[in-house]
Amino acid sequence: MAKVFNTEGYCDPELHYMVDLTSRLEQIRAMVDKEKYFTVNKGRQYGKTTTLMALTEYLKKDYLVVSMDFQTMSFSSFESEQSFVAAFTEELLDLVEYFPDGIREKLVSFQEKQAWTSSLQALFKVLKSWCEMSEQKIVLIIDEVDLAANNQVFIDFLAQLRAYYLKRRKVSTFQSVILAGVYDVRNIKHKLRPDTDHKINSPWNIAAEFRVDMSFSAQEIAGMLAEYDKDYHTGMDTGKMAGLLYDYTSGYPYLVSRLCQFMDERVTEMEGFSHRGSAWTKEGIIEAVKLLLNDNNPLFQSLAGKLTDYPMLRTVLYELLFTGKQIPYVSQNHYIDVAAMFGFIKNDNGITVVANRIFESVLYNLFISEEFVGSRMYDAGAQDKNRFIVDGHLNVRRVLEKFVEAFGQLYGDKDETFLEDAGRRYFMLFLKPIINGVGNSYVEPETRNRERMDLVIDYRGEQSVIEMKVWRGNAYHERGEEQLVGYLNHFRLKKGYMLSFNFNKKKETGVKEIVLGDKVLIEAVV
């Protein structure tokens, strides 16, 4: 059976196209060899389960690996100490084929949930004996561990693991314990009494720092694409395609696989893509990105849900995206820590940035969609959207001309502070109905600040660059022109666009054309 790109469940190298996980497995193995206890916390669909499945196979020659999944244990399993011990030992008995003499019988005895001996203390004494008698050192892996994080019995389970870890030089215990999930169990808290103010931190403060990068590098993506191309002979430039995939996703595993899946299964069926090889091009990936941005998948649903759960996070991201405010990355800040834990943001030299271009586009679309109803600027773009498309091409100059006109009519009397914070958001509101369903846009992160943003528009495989900037005088304006020329060179474009928000009362609004060397700049001033 031919391999496919997989985005449902864990990936199997026999069935699915995958990146080579060897480097990650080697790094994790080094932690196991050093008797580390640690957590693997990444956002949804970040490849945790796939990595743990591969790790189990990778370690089993030298260790006895017990790989559990708390999804297989019901809610009632965590209601009491006895029920947890019974459920935990039941999983052990199913997963481990051979136990030393007497250990299986002791574990079986815990199946009687009401037995007075079914306590965590009794369980860990049996586990200690098992570790002592086992011919191989034992590694315990528990996936989806955060499903149990709000239960007292799980906190007590962690406390037992910690106690034996601290005594490991005197008593036998697990060689290594790996807990995996979205939430970091090192930070969970629990109530000791019904009153909500009495809380203590999780006892899982023995966990070593997990620094293994689980995102895909461009080189790793290229290796996966080379395997695909070997099967289908597309003739793609694997290095170029891998670079484009990385540019859009920053290596987020699910996003990489989903885009590949779309190119393989859906772009090839679209008009204009006559054969499989034509889908694995820059034009093909732009179509795949459009499909992905309209894909109501659980990952995007989770992103939207967290904005509802954490309003302050929503406010910060909104300001960051539309006004260019720089938000310091402070991990002790609760909403920053939460957003990073879910994989939505990252630390870029001490500054908070959205984790990848896809998430950024999702957030832009979400925030802008909430302003559609009642937005006069959105309506202005929607009213004449057909006039901006000429022979299937987006006429960006016409877009700017109409925006200058509409902006002056609707907001020309607003004060400087209002326009500086809202101007660029209004242009994106104006642009959205014009390119919706056919193109998409994104902001280059290195240019996002209060003075300048470079907006890249993808429309039917063609790219246009618009520098949106706040007027800071002629000298700054000229530097902006030079920066735009450099950016056009990067994209190999001859024509670029500049949209300036000028608060000088003597300003001259409108659109004009400037020639700089071999480049043509269309400048609009509002």
Side-chain angles (χ1 to χ4, degrees):
M1 184 174 67
K3 290 185 178 182
V4 296
F5 292 103
N6 177 50
T7 56
E8 299 85 31
Y10 84 95
C11 292
D12 185 331
E14 298 296 321
L15 303 174
H16 307 128
Y17 293 109
M18 295 174 54
V19 303
D20 186 355
L21 299 177
T22 302
S23 174
R24 293 168 185 74
L25 299 179
E26 289 175 345
Q27 294 177 69
I28 300 174
R29 164 65 188 261
M31 297 184 70
V32 171
D33 290 343
K34 294 177 181 178
E35 303 180 14
K36 299 293 186 182
Y37 285 30
F38 55 95
T39 60
V40 180
N41 302 110
K42 286 293 180 182
R44 293 188 182 279
Q45 297 174 297
Y46 215 101
K48 297 184 298 294
T49 300
T50 296
T51 300
L52 294 179
M53 296 288 284
L55 181 66
T56 299
E57 291 298 311
Y58 189 74
L59 294 177
K60 69 180 186 180
K61 291 182 180 180
D62 301 303
Y63 295 102
L64 172 57
V65 183
V66 181
S67 185
M68 305 180 71
D69 186 341
F70 270 4
Q71 287 186 113
T72 63
M73 295 168 63
S74 66
F75 177 78
S76 62
S77 298
F78 300 92
E79 288 184 338
S80 69
E81 199 167 319
Q82 288 75 25
S83 60
F84 175 81
V85 170
F88 186 86
T89 54
E90 184 177 355
E91 289 298 307
L92 277 183
L93 290 167
D94 284 343
L95 293 169
V96 180
E97 182 177 356
Y98 171 77
F99 288 97
D101 291 343
I103 299 299
R104 177 176 291 276
E105 290 73 19
K106 291 179 180 179
L107 292 174
V108 169
S109 70
F110 291 131
Q111 299 305 295
E112 299 178 12
K113 296 183 181 181
Q114 302 305 317
W116 68 270
T117 55
S118 296
S119 66
L120 284 170
Q121 183 181 11
L123 170 63
F124 271 84
K125 286 185 178 180
V126 176
L127 296 179
K128 177 178 74 72
S129 297
W130 178 29
C131 292
E132 188 175 69
M133 298 169 65
S134 176
E135 294 181 359
Q136 290 182 299
K137 294 180 178 179
I138 304 172
V139 176
L140 176 64
I141 301 174
I142 306 178
D143 197 7
E144 302 293 347
V145 72
D146 45 359
L147 295 178
N150 291 328
N151 295 280
Q152 177 67 50
V153 67
F154 175 67
I155 302 296
D156 295 338
F157 174 74
L158 292 182
Q160 289 285 340
L161 284 173
R162 178 180 184 274
Y164 276 86
Y165 171 82
L166 295 176
K167 296 186 294 185
R168 67 191 184 282
R169 293 294 172 257
K170 296 181 179 179
V171 299
S172 296
T173 188
F174 297 112
Q175 166 76 12
S176 178
V177 175
I178 305 170
L179 306 181
V182 174
Y183 293 89
D184 188 346
V185 296
R186 292 177 300 176
N187 299 332
I188 62 174
K189 297 182 178 181
H190 71 288
K191 300 175 186 177
L192 296 181
R193 295 197 303 265
D195 79 78
T196 58
D197 294 329
H198 196 86
K199 298 181 179 181
I200 66 170
N201 287 325
S202 161
W204 196 244
N205 56 6
I206 57 171
E209 183 181 5
F210 184 76
R211 294 186 295 176
V212 179
D213 186 358
M214 294 179 64
S215 61
F216 297 163
S217 67
Q219 183 178 0
E220 289 172 329
I221 298 171
M224 177 176 66
L225 297 182
E227 183 184 6
Y228 175 87
D229 194 53
K230 185 177 179 181
D231 291 340
Y232 290 101
H233 309 289
T234 66
M236 77 169 90
D237 184 334
T238 55
K240 178 180 178 180
M241 286 303 300
L244 288 171
L245 284 165
Y246 186 83
D247 287 344
Y248 278 104
T249 66
S250 296
Y252 197 110
Y254 172 82
L255 299 178
V256 173
S257 296
R258 192 65 167 158
L259 287 174
C260 289
Q261 192 175 49
F262 281 144
M263 283 186 284
D264 178 50
E265 299 177 5
R266 294 178 59 178
V267 175
T268 52
E269 299 175 354
M270 292 182 174
E271 183 179 353
F273 296 91
S274 57
H275 56 88
R276 187 182 296 269
S278 63
W280 293 90
T281 58
K282 181 178 180 180
E283 294 72 24
I285 198 171
I286 289 174
E287 291 299 323
V289 168
K290 289 194 300 184
L291 290 171
L292 179 57
L293 293 178
N294 289 316
D295 187 33
N296 191 27
N297 56 67
L299 180 60
F300 293 169
Q301 291 171 2
S302 176
L303 173 57
K306 295 302 176 290
L307 297 182
T308 301
D309 295 339
Y310 301 93
M312 190 60 188
L313 170 63
R314 177 190 188 87
T315 300
V316 167
L317 289 174
Y318 189 95
E319 292 291 323
L320 180 115
L321 291 173
F322 287 111
T323 72
K325 290 182 180 178
Q326 289 194 341
I327 310 297
Y329 188 96
V330 181
S331 58
Q332 292 77 20
N333 184 301
H334 178 59
Y335 54 84
I336 294 292
D337 183 50
V338 167
M341 182 171 63
F342 287 113
F344 301 148
I345 63 172
K346 61 183 178 181
N347 183 354
D348 183 12
N349 294 318
I351 300 299
T352 301
V353 298
V354 180
N356 56 68
R357 188 181 293 173
I358 296 296
F359 282 172
E360 184 168 286
S361 295
V362 170
L363 288 168
Y364 274 125
N365 290 342
L366 178 62
F367 288 142
I368 289 175
S369 70
E370 294 171 344
E371 300 188 43
F372 286 173
V373 178
S375 170
R376 294 181 294 173
M377 186 56 76
Y378 180 86
D379 291 343
Q383 286 172 2
D384 300 315
K385 65 178 183 179
N386 292 330
R387 65 173 289 197
F388 304 118
I389 311 302
V390 181
D391 297 328
H393 301 278
L394 178 66
N395 188 317
V396 181
R397 178 169 185 151
R398 287 187 183 178
V399 172
L400 291 174
E401 289 172 342
K402 182 61 178 179
F403 175 75
V404 170
E405 177 186 330
F407 192 89
Q409 292 174 352
L410 295 174
Y411 306 109
D413 59 345
K414 297 294 184 180
D415 61 34
E416 178 176 337
T417 301
F418 173 84
L419 296 178
E420 185 169 346
D421 286 345
R424 290 174 290 200
R425 173 167 57 89
Y426 283 141
F427 178 72
M428 297 182 77
L429 270 168
F430 181 83
L431 178 67
K432 182 62 178 177
I434 298 171
I435 65 173
N436 192 37
V438 180
N440 64 81
S441 62
Y442 58 88
V443 172
E444 283 296 313
E446 64 268 22
T447 69
R448 184 193 293 107
N449 55 55
R450 291 190 67 86
E451 296 182 343
R452 172 190 174 211
M453 285 185 184
D454 287 331
L455 183 70
V456 181
I457 303 173
D458 285 331
Y459 191 88
R460 294 190 182 277
E462 296 180 344
Q463 290 184 311
S464 303
V465 179
I466 303 177
E467 179 178 313
M468 299 183 292
K469 59 191 291 294
V470 177
W471 181 272
R472 300 297 185 196
N474 286 325
Y476 177 79
H477 185 69
E478 291 174 359
R479 289 198 302 273
E481 292 175 346
E482 295 173 359
Q483 290 170 332
L484 180 56
V485 168
Y487 215 57
L488 294 176
N489 288 330
H490 172 74
F491 279 90
R492 298 180 180 179
L493 297 172
K494 294 295 185 181
K495 181 182 291 186
Y497 306 87
M498 182 178 290
L499 174 59
S500 297
F501 296 89
N502 190 335
F503 310 118
N504 190 327
K505 294 181 179 180
K506 298 181 180 180
K507 68 186 176 185
E508 182 180 344
T509 62
V511 178
K512 62 182 179 179
E513 184 175 299
I514 298 175
V515 177
L516 292 177
D518 64 342
K519 308 296 184 188
V520 176
L521 304 186
I522 309 298
E523 295 193 2
V525 178
V526 296

